Amino acid sequence: MDLSSANEPQKNAITHLRGPCLVLAGPGSGKTYTITNRILYLLEQKVPPERILVITFMKEAALSMQNRFQQMAGAAGHGGPVFYPVNFGTFHSIFYHILKESKALKSGELLKNSEKKNLIIPILKTYENSREHAAQGGQGQNALSEDAAQILSAIGYYKNTMDMPAAAAKAPAVWQQDFEAVCRDYEQTVKRTGRLDFDDMLYNCKRLLQEDGAVRSYWQNRFRHILIDEFQDINPVQYEAVKLLAADPYNIFAVGDDDQAIYGFRGSRPECLKRFQTEFGARQLLLDVNYRSMPEIVQTSLSVIEENRDRFLKRLRAAAEPGNPEGPNPVALHAFPDREGQYGYLCRSIAAGLQTGESCAVLFRTNSYMQGFAARLKAAGIAYEMKERAASIYEQFIVKDIMAYLWLASGKGSREHMLQVMNRPSRYISREAVGAGTVDFGKMREYYDRVEMAERQRREAKERLTCLEKQLLGIRGRSLRLAVSFILKGMGYEQYLRDLSRTEPEKWEEWQELLEWLKEDAASYADVEEWTRFQEEYARTLEQAKEEGRQRRGPQDRQQEGKPAVQLLTVHGAKGLEYDRVWIPDCNEKIFPHGTMPEESAVEEERRIFYVAMTRAKKNLELSYLTGTKERPRQPSRFLNPLYSREQ
């Protein structure tokens, strides 16, 4: 085994033999190199390969690490390919096999997400008539379906943390009081199906190891060395299960970086690193050399993350030499009055970057921002790829509502358009009043002349229809941007959204951003027909990209085919990746950190998310923020404060 290319901290980690060890691995510090070489070292020390267990969090990461190890093992064997039956897998796959081999599974068939939703919606309906829900005026099928997805996510959080209050807080506000009961009813329903919820594997395995001493002893003897990658992403249930899997001398080799813990919404707890060190008395090592980024990027990102209080102290350094002091700084910060100016700069900068042949990526806090920028790149004719697949931003219900209003204003609106928005905000217009084909307000008023109702109600209904007709006629002939603004303000649609999100202020913040983007996007098109054609073309592009994604080997294939494209990712999607040039737009409060008035613990995680984004960059990092307007001023992110300090 040749460790000549390893630095001293890597050698110390690779050759650690017995007992628990916590390896803090900074960004770009070669943790995969360290783990795979450690496996080879254990084999040289005559540890049987089947006694070694390597755990990762993602299936792709497990396969990648397994392939890399087998290649290295073959090269080290000097006699052609050699296969060692080392156990690689994710927490879920390993726990599933433990349950299966221990005969602790009644059924190995997992419930699909759609099946889980079908199980929980009837349960939610039973609570619809409760006093709390009745006060909300009922949910409606679409809203109930959206709530079901959020509640299932909250139930998953509970199963990973066993923290009922924190899980309930993640459910929609209207369901929080009933969440524990809903959770209990859902579990009983799942049991009756005889199937398995994905998140049940973790808890069921922990309970099996806890309660059955013979099973626990068998698996402790089966796995004498446990190596865990991305240990900062571990949740409390996984942590307790790992403790049960290990026996004296507790050969747990945990590799992670608390500064890169960004999955709190899934139940991950970075404090498990400190628990591990304290409870096991683990040896602590630090991989402190960053082989990825320029020194300026390393130091700037460190100045940001060092503002977090609850973290291991680390001194990190770059392997590369500093850039040319006479040349441009590898880290740049830009301010723009509005998103239009920011997007214009990004398009120009990305187009120039793609010409160099360097890998380029733009990182976003949320999928909606990413989708909005993707639409802008599409309109500008700049090639892009998205690692994460999501519905077009134009499929968002707010955009569909605005488009329905615009079609009605054009005089070509259909019955479906009218039904979609006639009571958004509520105008108490009856569905029966809307005829087939294009919308005819005269015939709708005639309906109220025929229908039996009190005269005052008849008059008010016709007046509301006349008002709506005049508003739609007033839009006709205006530019799309002005038309959208009038729909929002003059027709009360913005107030309707405010009322709809009154229990979820963060949702209103998200919708505000979408509305701002929508007005800017509207300004690029002459009329609703042209805008609709673009939206349809954009949807086809996404679908085509989805199909191509199934066939391509990886996100860099288009570059290999001679078609350079910028990668668009959320920060979470970019975890573990690296690019020559990285842009991070919208570095503003309420985006970084996300939400309104977050608690300090949430701010620390949001700062870690920002740090992960910064440390994806190898050669150049550009951050930008909006200064806003007098009507809607914007505040730069507090995470940028250390950058200002470094400039002074």
Side-chain angles (χ1 to χ4, degrees), residues 523-644:
S524 303
Y525 304 94
D527 52 41
V528 66
E529 287 94 340
E530 184 184 346
W531 202 8
T532 300
R533 283 195 299 272
F534 174 80
Q535 293 176 21
E536 291 170 348
E537 173 60 27
Y538 178 63
R540 283 193 294 271
T541 300
L542 287 182
E543 189 57 37
Q544 182 181 353
K546 186 177 180 181
E547 285 300 317
E548 290 175 357
R550 294 192 185 105
Q551 300 168 18
R552 286 198 301 266
R553 296 181 302 279
Q556 304 301 324
D557 285 5
R558 183 172 292 179
Q559 278 87 338
Q560 294 169 0
E561 293 166 6
K563 298 177 182 177
V566 63
Q567 303 295 313
L568 306 184
L569 308 99
T570 63
V571 182
H572 287 92
K575 184 78 160 51
L577 303 177
E578 58 184 41
Y579 301 92
D580 293 321
R581 300 188 63 172
V582 169
W583 292 265
I584 308 175
D586 300 312
C587 299
N588 286 84
E589 287 290 304
K590 300 183 180 177
I591 300 176
F592 288 107
H594 191 57
T596 304
M597 297 176 63
E599 295 180 358
E600 183 55 35
S601 60
V603 170
E604 293 225 341
E605 172 149 334
E606 289 289 324
R607 188 176 281 111
R608 294 194 294 268
I609 291 171
F610 196 65
Y611 175 71
V612 165
M614 297 176 75
T615 55
R616 300 310 93 196
K618 295 164 68 175
K619 298 178 181 178
N620 293 93
L621 171 65
E622 292 194 50
L623 308 108
S624 58
Y625 65 93
L626 307 180
T627 56
T629 62
K630 187 182 294 184
E631 295 75 25
R632 193 182 179 202
R634 308 281 189 129
Q635 295 296 322
S637 169
R638 68 192 76 178
F639 302 155
L640 298 177
N641 291 343
L643 277 71
Y644 291 119

Side-chain angles (χ1 to χ4, degrees), residues 175-339:
W175 290 102
Q176 289 179 6
Q177 185 171 335
D178 296 320
F179 177 75
E180 188 168 355
V182 168
C183 194
R184 185 173 57 248
D185 291 350
Y186 173 72
E187 283 306 293
Q188 292 171 353
T189 303
V190 170
K191 283 181 182 177
R192 285 196 293 270
T193 68
R195 306 273 291 284
L196 192 66
D197 187 320
F198 185 74
D199 291 308
D200 288 334
M201 287 187 283
L202 304 180
Y203 178 73
N204 289 355
C205 187
K206 180 185 83 80
R207 187 172 60 185
L208 173 68
L209 295 171
Q210 209 164 27
E211 297 175 356
D212 193 321
V215 169
R216 183 171 64 251
S217 295
Y218 170 80
W219 289 105
Q220 286 176 344
N221 186 58
R222 176 92 171 259
F223 300 132
R224 298 302 293 168
H225 285 267
I226 302 174
L227 292 78
I228 306 173
D229 189 20
E230 304 285 9
F231 194 74
Q232 75 278 354
D233 295 333
I234 202 166
N235 66 47
V237 173
Q238 291 166 336
Y239 178 73
E240 293 299 329
V242 167
K243 285 172 63 176
L244 292 164
L245 265 182
D248 190 45
Y250 304 107
N251 295 319
I252 302 175
F253 187 80
V255 183
D257 181 8
D258 55 329
D259 290 335
Q260 298 185 69
I262 62 173
Y263 292 106
F265 66 93
R266 293 181 186 168
S268 300
R269 299 281 172 84
E271 57 266 28
C272 287
L273 279 85
K274 289 186 176 179
R275 280 187 62 189
F276 173 65
Q277 186 188 34
T278 302
E279 293 175 4
F280 285 87
R283 178 188 183 188
Q284 182 181 319
L285 298 171
L286 172 65
L287 304 185
D288 63 343
V289 182
N290 184 318
Y291 292 96
R292 173 188 300 155
S293 305
M294 295 288 288
E296 294 86 347
I297 296 173
V298 172
Q299 292 308 314
T300 303
S301 58
L302 278 175
S303 70
V304 171
I305 198 61
E306 284 172 352
E307 294 204 337
N308 271 4
R309 297 176 183 176
D310 187 15
R311 61 186 291 269
F312 285 97
L313 296 177
K314 310 176 190 73
R315 290 187 179 276
L316 306 179
R317 56 192 174 92
E321 293 295 322
N324 180 3
E326 303 299 323
N329 193 319
V331 181
L333 180 61
H334 308 287
F336 300 94
D338 53 34
R339 189 164 283 114

Side-chain angles (χ1 to χ4, degrees), residues 285-540:
L285 298 171
L286 172 65
L287 304 185
D288 63 343
V289 182
N290 184 318
Y291 292 96
R292 173 188 300 155
S293 305
M294 295 288 288
E296 294 86 347
I297 296 173
V298 172
Q299 292 308 314
T300 303
S301 58
L302 278 175
S303 70
V304 171
I305 198 61
E306 284 172 352
E307 294 204 337
N308 271 4
R309 297 176 183 176
D310 187 15
R311 61 186 291 269
F312 285 97
L313 296 177
K314 310 176 190 73
R315 290 187 179 276
L316 306 179
R317 56 192 174 92
E321 293 295 322
N324 180 3
E326 303 299 323
N329 193 319
V331 181
L333 180 61
H334 308 287
F336 300 94
D338 53 34
R339 189 164 283 114
E340 182 67 27
Q342 177 183 243
Y343 280 1
Y345 171 79
L346 284 174
C347 287
R348 293 189 299 274
S349 188
I350 289 166
L354 292 176
Q355 295 300 313
T356 67
E358 295 176 318
S359 57
C360 300
V362 188
L363 308 185
F364 301 87
R365 178 61 185 85
T366 67
N367 208 294
S368 59
Y369 290 111
M370 180 176 73
Q371 286 287 336
F373 186 60
R376 184 58 52 87
L377 288 176
K378 170 69 178 173
I382 297 174
Y384 67 90
E385 290 182 349
M386 285 188 285
K387 181 174 181 283
E388 301 142 287
R389 301 301 173 199
S392 165
I393 192 170
Y394 296 112
E395 292 297 312
Q396 222 272 9
F397 84 92
I398 293 174
V399 182
K400 284 182 167 293
D401 284 354
I402 297 296
M403 296 304 292
Y405 269 120
L406 291 172
W407 275 109
L408 289 170
S410 74
K412 301 175 184 177
S414 66
R415 181 176 190 269
E416 287 69 29
H417 291 135
M418 187 66 179
L419 291 175
Q420 184 175 332
V421 297
M422 65 185 187
N423 288 313
R424 295 184 177 187
S426 182
R427 300 178 180 91
Y428 304 99
I429 299 174
S430 170
R431 291 178 64 89
E432 288 72 22
V434 185
T438 56
V439 174
D440 188 323
F441 280 90
K443 290 182 178 179
M444 290 173 72
R445 281 187 288 269
E446 287 175 9
Y447 166 83
Y448 283 105
D449 286 332
R450 296 192 309 271
V451 74
E452 234 180 87
M453 62 192 311
E455 190 58 37
R456 183 177 62 82
Q457 291 176 318
R458 188 193 318 279
R459 185 177 65 253
E460 290 175 350
K462 291 171 70 175
E463 286 174 354
R464 286 191 293 268
L465 276 173
T466 299
C467 178
L468 177 57
E469 183 180 23
K470 286 180 178 178
Q471 288 174 331
L472 292 171
L473 287 171
I475 292 174
R476 197 175 297 179
R478 297 186 185 214
S479 69
L480 282 183
R481 184 185 178 106
L482 287 176
V484 172
S485 296
F486 182 76
I487 292 167
L488 297 177
K489 302 289 186 182
M491 298 181 72
Y493 187 76
E494 187 174 292
Q495 187 59 49
Y496 160 75
L497 293 177
R498 279 182 181 272
D499 294 341
L500 196 63
S501 61
R502 64 185 180 275
T503 59
E504 298 176 85
E506 286 191 12
K507 183 169 284 188
W508 168 240
E509 292 290 341
E510 181 182 330
W511 288 350
Q512 267 191 303
E513 294 292 339
L514 175 63
L515 294 176
E516 289 296 320
W517 171 84
L518 194 61
K519 286 187 285 187
E520 291 169 1
D521 194 51
S524 303
Y525 304 94
D527 52 41
V528 66
E529 287 94 340
E530 184 184 346
W531 202 8
T532 300
R533 283 195 299 272
F534 174 80
Q535 293 176 21
E536 291 170 348
E537 173 60 27
Y538 178 63
R540 283 193 294 271

